[in-house]
Amino acid sequence: MSDAAARNLIERLQAQRKHWVDVGAGRRVQFMRPPEVELPRLVHGVRIDHLKQYVCGWEGFTEATLLGAGVGSSDPVPFHADLWAEVVADDAKLLGDVAKALAGAAMTYMEQRAVIEKNSAPSST
């Protein structure tokens, strides 16, 4: 398999783990559900370090959103991981909304896995 073909498959696998959450005011945040082997890290809840690691995009964020209408422009601000880390660290509601969505995506995934495993278990007849 070529590197390009492998990279394409990796991107497709990762795309299956991506989700969007509406955070109000025309804004939304994209995150990637952690891979299955990382899910035990969420057992005590989704923390800010998880959000810094797994958030990978946003839409609707402007300078005015980040700095205030009197200071920032209405121009969209591209997502940047370091900027996201700064923004989410200073916005408890945003942190809570995205953490809840990430936890929900993880739970849904685990529930789906349990159903698949139950349905594929050999019968005892």
Side-chain angles (χ1 to χ4, degrees):
M1 174 177 286
S2 71
D3 287 346
R7 187 72 209 145
N8 179 269
L9 283 173
I10 290 167
E11 288 173 2
R12 290 171 60 191
L13 286 166
Q14 290 176 345
Q16 292 178 334
R17 294 182 12 233
K18 288 184 179 180
H19 302 271
W20 286 96
V21 57
D22 183 355
V23 294
R27 300 175 299 148
R28 63 188 197 147
V29 173
Q30 185 179 47
F31 63 91
M32 188 178 306
R33 176 193 46 78
E36 188 171 335
V37 298
E38 295 289 325
L39 292 179
R41 290 181 52 218
L42 306 180
V43 73
H44 297 294
V46 176
R47 297 183 313 272
I48 192 166
D49 59 314
H50 301 127
L51 297 185
K52 289 178 182 179
Q53 181 176 1
Y54 293 112
V55 167
C56 55
W58 66 20
E59 290 181 350
F61 286 78
T62 65
E63 284 187 3
T65 303
L66 303 176
L67 301 173
V71 179
S73 73
S74 60
D75 296 335
V77 174
F79 178 81
H80 188 281
D82 292 339
L83 179 56
W84 163 252
E86 188 68 26
V87 169
V88 75
D90 200 33
D91 189 333
K93 182 180 180 334
L94 179 63
L95 187 148
D97 290 347
V98 180
K100 183 178 177 181
L102 193 148
M107 286 296 296
T108 298
Y109 173 79
M110 293 306 293
E111 290 166 357
Q112 290 170 343
R113 290 288 293 194
V115 168
I116 291 168
E117 289 175 15
K118 179 182 173 191
N119 290 339
S120 65
S123 63
S124 58
T125 55

